[in-house]
Amino acid sequence: MSIRIKMLLSFTGMLVISLLFILLTASLYTIAATGDLQSFRDIYKVHYQINPLTEQGESIFQEMKFLAKNDPDDLQNKVLLREYDMKLRAEKSGLYIRRENSQIFESLTFNQPELKQALPAYDLNNYQIRSTFNIGERFYAYAKFDFQYSDGERGSIFVIREKSPFAELTRKLLPVMSVLLIGVLIITNLLLFRWITRSFIKPLNQLRSSAEHIKEGNLSFKLQLNSNDEVGQLSEAFESMRNQLQLSYALRQQDEVNRKELISNISHDLRTPITNIKGYIEGIRDGVANTPEKMESYVNIIHSKAVSMDKLVDELFLYSKLDLNQEPFLFKTVDLADFLEDSIEELRYDLEDKGVSLEWNNQVSGPAMAAVDPEKLKRTVVNVVDNALKYMENEHKQFEITLQADETWITMAFKDNGRGIAEEALPYIFERFYRAEQSRNSSTGGSGLGLAIARQIIDGHGGFIWAESQPNEGTSIYIKLKRLNEERD
């Protein structure tokens, strides 16, 4: 449920409940003041059959009852009866006296012609001396006592009070009901406030607390998600942002470690040739190269070291551009079979000079078309071949290039019969500055960037590169590229 609906329901509920209680309270006050709503009298009829009179009215009735028992003829004295009636009027009651079928006295309070017919019959045993009766829509409660005059005729005393039963009960219960109404309103407000607080305020406090954690650099906490409303969606987005920040922070930390390692490796790989160049130059300056042959040897070594440094800087620059996606790829549709044949022709003479037997195995019938950057893919092939040559120390050196393809992929395999790569080192050979043998320096083991550059180039082609190797059995490097349909140019 959305917060908008919750707020709408909450305030609508508050308004409706408040209005209902206001109307109910107003109705109760109206009934209490006017004595209206007599239609409810039947509900309280039993109550008034037991307690028809006020406390003062009951006292007057008991006094007249005593008089009826001891001196019944005095109840024919109208002066005395009017005195009693005046006292009863103060209690909003009236007096009625009868003798047999005739009326002795009737209070002016009633003004009811049907009153005589509505009264109960004589009951000298006085089994029921309190009850109620109706005249039309008007409701009366009474207390009566039947007796006999001195001449034996029957007589009755009636102390009658007109009632609005609901109004009377309301007068008694009004304070309690008023307190109850206020209590219900307070409880309702508290419940609605708790509902809004749990579904709205509490999640916002959690978000505020989470923001404080992030400001302090703490990203290891986890935000609890408890709802699907707007606040819940905000919390979910906040938690996603926290995860991204935590991941970014971890990557930044790793990049910082990699940066320091990169600087260290670059410094190490540049320090050795610079130190050598410096030593040979000092030898020339000090006159150590005192013959033309030594001088030529020193100069050649200096030149070789400078070429190695230039190659290392070039590889660093290329790797950096590839890593930052700043090296553009110029894709062309190329038949990889023809591409490898041309590359093999360029490599064949260098390999033969180093005593390496090269074998070309094309297992693809027809063209093997792929979208590649020819220059960068050639750089990849050269790096793979150069890396293999560094570790081929057998007497009979063999290198095999194989081309395979299916309907989706083209696979190039470069296999040598060198010393192989240890299993624990195999996952890391495509990382920058990694050398399977850490004891090798740049002069014997290369810069450590060749295969890293190859991986960056193949990744830029949307392909895959991986290695398989067994110690003392050789290493195979596989490159897989997406195959194009033959009809594409």
Side-chain angles (χ1 to χ4, degrees):
M1 185 183 297
S2 68
I3 293 176
R4 182 180 302 172
I5 295 177
K6 288 181 180 179
M7 296 290 287
L8 178 62
L9 291 178
S10 299
F11 288 108
T12 301
M14 285 286 297
L15 179 62
V16 170
I17 293 173
S18 299
L19 287 176
L20 287 176
F21 279 111
I22 289 173
L23 291 174
L24 180 58
T25 304
S27 300
L28 294 178
Y29 275 107
T30 302
I31 294 168
T34 63
D36 199 2
L37 207 62
Q38 296 183 16
S39 59
F40 285 93
R41 62 177 176 267
D42 292 336
I43 302 174
Y44 307 96
K45 189 172 183 179
V46 175
H47 170 74
Y48 288 113
Q49 286 176 347
I50 299 173
N51 300 296
L53 306 178
T54 64
E55 183 177 351
Q56 186 62 29
E58 183 68 23
S59 177
I60 295 171
F61 171 71
Q62 292 297 333
E63 184 178 338
M64 295 182 72
K65 180 180 175 183
F66 179 81
L67 187 62
K69 290 179 179 180
N70 297 285
D71 195 0
D73 290 338
D74 285 349
L75 294 176
Q76 298 183 89
N77 185 345
K78 293 191 177 182
V79 175
L80 179 60
L81 295 177
R82 276 195 292 270
E83 290 178 2
Y84 281 123
D85 185 56
M86 290 298 293
K87 294 178 182 179
L88 291 170
R89 284 186 185 182
E91 300 301 316
K92 296 183 180 180
S93 302
L95 180 63
Y96 186 92
I97 305 295
R98 70 181 178 183
R99 178 186 174 98
E100 290 296 342
N101 295 324
S102 63
Q103 171 186 304
I104 301 297
F105 182 85
E106 179 181 355
S107 174
L108 298 176
T109 303
F110 304 131
N111 192 23
Q112 279 286 2
E114 298 88 357
L115 181 59
K116 182 179 179 180
Q117 290 76 24
L119 296 175
Y122 285 101
D123 176 20
L124 293 177
N125 292 321
N126 289 304
Y127 289 125
Q128 185 173 14
I129 64 173
R130 293 175 176 83
S131 188
T132 60
F133 63 86
N134 291 14
I135 300 177
E137 292 297 323
R138 302 179 71 174
F139 174 71
Y140 298 88
Y142 67 88
K144 81 172 181 73
F145 183 74
D146 293 331
F147 62 94
Q148 286 183 321
Y149 289 96
S150 59
D151 58 3
E153 289 192 358
R154 296 172 299 177
S156 299
I157 302 169
F158 287 91
V159 177
I160 304 171
R161 187 181 186 194
E162 186 174 3
K163 295 286 188 178
S164 176
F166 189 70
E168 189 66 23
L169 189 61
T170 300
R171 290 188 185 99
K172 295 182 178 180
L173 298 180
L174 185 59
V176 177
M177 296 185 71
S178 298
V179 173
L180 181 63
L181 292 177
I182 294 172
V184 169
L185 283 174
I186 292 174
I187 292 173
T188 302
N189 277 275
L190 289 176
L191 290 176
L192 290 175
F193 175 77
R194 179 176 175 81
W195 184 39
I196 293 298
T197 300
R198 288 176 62 87
S199 60
F200 184 68
I201 305 299
K202 186 177 179 181
L204 289 181
N205 285 334
Q206 289 181 347
L207 285 175
R208 179 187 58 78
S209 177
S210 300
E212 292 291 334
H213 286 308
I214 292 176
K215 184 177 72 174
E216 295 170 359
N218 178 19
L219 296 170
S220 60
F221 64 93
K222 181 175 178 61
L223 190 62
Q224 298 296 326
L225 305 177
N226 299 317
S227 64
N228 294 322
D229 56 19
E230 290 87 345
V231 174
Q233 294 170 6
L234 175 62
S235 299
E236 184 178 358
F238 192 93
E239 176 65 11
S240 177
M241 179 190 71
R242 184 197 65 80
N243 288 329
Q244 292 297 324
L245 286 174
Q246 188 175 27
L247 179 61
S248 298
Y249 180 76
L251 291 175
R252 188 180 70 178
Q253 293 294 101
Q254 184 61 43
D255 287 343
E256 182 66 18
V257 172
N258 292 341
R259 184 185 65 83
K260 292 179 180 179
E261 182 182 354
L262 176 63
I263 293 174
S264 175
N265 289 330
I266 292 174
S267 301
H268 176 270
D269 284 351
L270 289 178
R271 185 183 297 113
T272 300
I274 289 175
T275 301
N276 291 334
I277 291 173
K278 181 180 176 181
Y280 283 106
I281 290 176
E282 289 177 351
I284 294 174
R285 188 178 61 182
D286 295 340
V288 175
N290 52 10
T291 64
E293 292 80 7
K294 284 187 177 181
M295 179 64 71
E296 183 179 2
S297 175
Y298 277 31
V299 170
N300 289 336
I301 292 173
I302 292 172
H303 179 265
S304 173
K305 298 298 181 181
V307 170
S308 298
M309 288 179 59
D310 181 67
K311 182 178 180 182
L312 175 61
V313 171
D314 177 63
E315 288 186 338
L316 283 170
F317 184 62
L318 176 59
Y319 179 84
S320 176
K321 291 176 69 177
L322 290 170
D323 194 40
L324 297 174
N325 295 321
Q326 294 180 350
E327 177 69 15
F329 283 75
L330 304 177
F331 290 101
K332 297 180 181 179
T333 301
V334 174
D335 184 347
L336 290 184
D338 294 340
F339 170 81
L340 286 177
E341 288 178 357
D342 294 339
S343 300
I344 288 171
E345 288 300 320
E346 295 179 10
L347 294 170
R348 186 180 300 276
Y349 298 106
D350 291 336
L351 293 175
E352 288 179 354
D353 289 341
K354 295 179 181 180
V356 179
S357 173
L358 178 60
E359 181 180 349
W360 163 233
N361 184 9
N362 182 7
Q363 299 180 5
V364 180
S365 58
M369 310 302 292
V372 300
D373 183 327
E375 292 299 323
K376 291 183 175 58
L377 186 58
K378 184 176 292 186
R379 179 69 174 264
T380 300
V381 173
V382 170
N383 286 357
V384 170
V385 173
D386 286 346
N387 185 78
L389 293 177
K390 294 183 182 74
Y391 300 95
M392 293 175 65
E393 299 175 353
N394 299 348
E395 182 178 355
H396 301 287
K397 302 175 183 178
Q398 296 179 349
F399 193 80
E400 180 182 358
I401 299 177
T402 303
L403 181 66
Q404 298 174 329
D406 55 27
E407 294 181 356
T408 307
W409 296 96
I410 301 174
T411 303
M412 296 177 285
F414 303 86
K415 183 176 182 181
D416 63 65
N417 66 340
R419 67 174 64 182
I421 301 172
E423 183 178 358
E424 61 273 13
L426 198 60
Y428 306 104
I429 64 172
F430 294 100
E431 293 183 5
R432 58 191 179 190
F433 292 107
Y434 183 83
R435 299 185 180 95
E437 294 186 33
Q438 298 297 330
S439 61
R440 287 176 174 261
N441 58 28
S442 59
S443 62
T444 59
S447 66
L449 287 174
L451 291 183
I453 291 174
R455 184 183 66 176
Q456 292 279 27
I457 291 174
I458 297 304
D459 287 347
H461 281 76
F464 305 93
I465 183 170
W466 72 95
E468 295 178 0
S469 181
Q470 292 291 334
N472 301 318
E473 294 184 8
T475 301
S476 296
I477 302 292
Y478 297 92
I479 297 175
K480 180 181 285 189
L481 297 175
K482 192 76 173 179
R483 184 176 188 177
L484 299 179
N485 295 329
E486 294 183 5
E487 58 267 17
R488 292 183 57 179
D489 294 331

